[in-house]
Each structure stands twice: as C-alpha cells, then as structure tokens.
C-alpha cells in the first residue's frame, strides 16, 4: 500500500501535488472546525438545557450558566431576549459555512486533478503508435485518485455540516423556549 502510494506520488505532476495539497488542507480545516464547534456547541447546549430545566422546575429561576441570561442581563424584555437569541445563534454558527463550501467544492477540485491527470496520460501516449489497454488503465486509475480524495473530503465536510447544523437547531430551540418562558413570566 505504501509502495503504491509512493509510486503514485513519484509519477505525479505538479497539478496533482497542488490538488492533493489543497484537499489535505480542506480535510484538516474540516476536522478542526468540527471538533472546535462541536465541543463549544455541546457545552452551550448543556448549559441552556440546564437553564431551561431550572426555569420549568419549582425553583423557576434563571441559571447563571445560561448564555441567554448573560446576554440579557436578567432582563425579560422581548426585544432584548430576541436580539440575544440571534446573537447567540450567529456566534454558534460561526465556521459552518466553511463546511458547506468545502463539501461542495472538494469533489470539483478532485475532478480537476483527475481531468488533468488523464490529459497528461493521453499526452504521453500520443508519441506511441500502439497503446494497449494494459498501459492506459493504470494511468487512468492513478488519475482517479484525485477524484476519490475530493469525494472523501466532501463526505466528511457534509456529514460534519449536518451534525453541527442539528446542534445549532437544538440550541435555537432551547433559547426560544427560555425566552418564551421569561416573557410569559414578565
């Protein structure tokens, strides 16, 4: 496996190196955004869930850990609570657009690398009078590695985008429920 990979890299062109480097960077960014945002959202959701539970319990007090409480400064103003909700959701969704961009562009970057690899293979074959399938097939399969890499990156980016989007939705539900309770209590 390693020998095959080293042979592939040894026979690759500059475009292939650029495509694979860009896709590697995309993959690193994807994982970094996911782990960072997932950890932050998990903590935020946990705090808001506890805050909602304390508001709906017999205590009926607002948790000091709640980001909505910190933002609104214990105010029950509908406008201020709404503005705080929007601000918290905006902060929670920071970086998620990059996951969408990466998931939609990485297959095209991989496809570009494949097309260039196939064109280079055909250019090498142009000088030969007869080329057998046994010569063409390995060259095309090597070119397809870039598409596979692009699809792999897209799978992770899209999956992480969906997970983070769901967590943001869950956070939004908790924030809206807390706001409605606070507004109702006046």
């Amino acid at each position: 496996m390693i020998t095959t990979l080293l042979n592939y890299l040894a026979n690759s062109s500059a475009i292939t190196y650029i495509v694979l480097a860009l896709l590697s960077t995309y993959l690193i960014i994807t994982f970094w955004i996911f782990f960072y945002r997932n950890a932050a959202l998990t903590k935020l959701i946990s705090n808001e869930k506890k805050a909602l539970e304390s508001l709906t319990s017999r205590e009926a007090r607002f948790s000091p850990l709640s980001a909505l409480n910190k933002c609104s400064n214990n105010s029950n103003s509908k406008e201020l609570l709404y503005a705080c909700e929007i601000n918290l959701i905006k902060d929670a969704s920071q970086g998620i657009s990059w996951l969408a961009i990466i998931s939609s562009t990485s297959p095209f970057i991989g496809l570009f690398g494949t097309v260039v690899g196939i064109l280079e293979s055909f250019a090498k074959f142009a000088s030969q009078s007869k080329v057998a399938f046994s010569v063409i097939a390995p060259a095309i399969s090597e070119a397809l590695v870039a598409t596979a890499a692009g699809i792999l990156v897209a799978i992770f980016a899209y999956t992480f985008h969906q997970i983070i989007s769901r967590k943001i939705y869950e956070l939004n539900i908790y924030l809206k429920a807390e706001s409605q309770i606070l507004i109702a209590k006046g």
Side-chain angles (χ1 to χ4, degrees), residues 25-172:
T25 304
Y26 267 15
L27 190 63
I28 291 167
I29 291 169
T30 297
F31 275 94
W32 184 82
I33 290 171
F34 175 72
F35 288 125
Y36 176 73
R37 297 309 312 157
N38 189 45
L41 282 169
T42 301
K43 182 178 178 188
L44 197 55
I45 288 170
S46 174
N47 288 343
E48 296 309 319
K49 185 177 181 180
K50 289 175 187 172
L52 182 61
E53 288 170 356
S54 71
L55 277 176
T56 56
S57 70
R58 293 183 185 223
E59 301 170 22
R61 63 181 178 82
F62 210 9
S63 171
L65 295 175
S66 170
L68 188 63
N69 183 26
K70 292 175 186 173
C71 177
S72 67
N73 292 323
N74 291 323
S75 172
N76 292 353
S77 164
K78 183 177 182 176
E79 292 79 15
L80 183 58
L81 287 170
Y82 180 68
C84 286
E85 284 176 38
I86 291 171
N87 189 43
L88 289 170
I89 294 301
K90 177 189 71 68
D91 290 346
S93 60
Q94 186 176 5
I96 195 170
S97 60
W98 279 106
L99 292 176
I101 290 167
I102 290 170
S103 70
S104 63
T105 59
S106 62
F108 293 112
I109 293 169
L111 186 60
F112 173 74
T114 297
V115 169
V116 170
I118 289 172
L119 289 173
E120 288 174 348
S121 296
F122 286 153
K124 289 178 190 174
F125 302 145
S127 62
Q128 299 174 4
S129 61
K130 288 187 177 183
V131 180
F133 185 72
S134 61
V135 176
I136 294 174
I140 291 177
S141 67
E142 286 178 7
L144 289 172
V145 169
T147 297
I151 291 171
L152 179 72
V153 172
I155 289 169
F156 282 112
Y158 182 76
T159 303
F160 293 164
H161 180 271
Q162 293 302 314
I163 292 169
I164 297 295
S165 293
R166 175 65 184 147
K167 287 191 176 236
I168 292 169
Y169 173 77
E170 187 178 347
L171 175 65
N172 193 23

Side-chain angles (χ1 to χ4, degrees), residues 4-17:
T4 306
L5 182 63
L6 291 175
N7 286 338
Y8 169 73
L9 291 174
N11 296 326
S12 296
S13 68
I15 294 292
T16 304
Y17 289 130

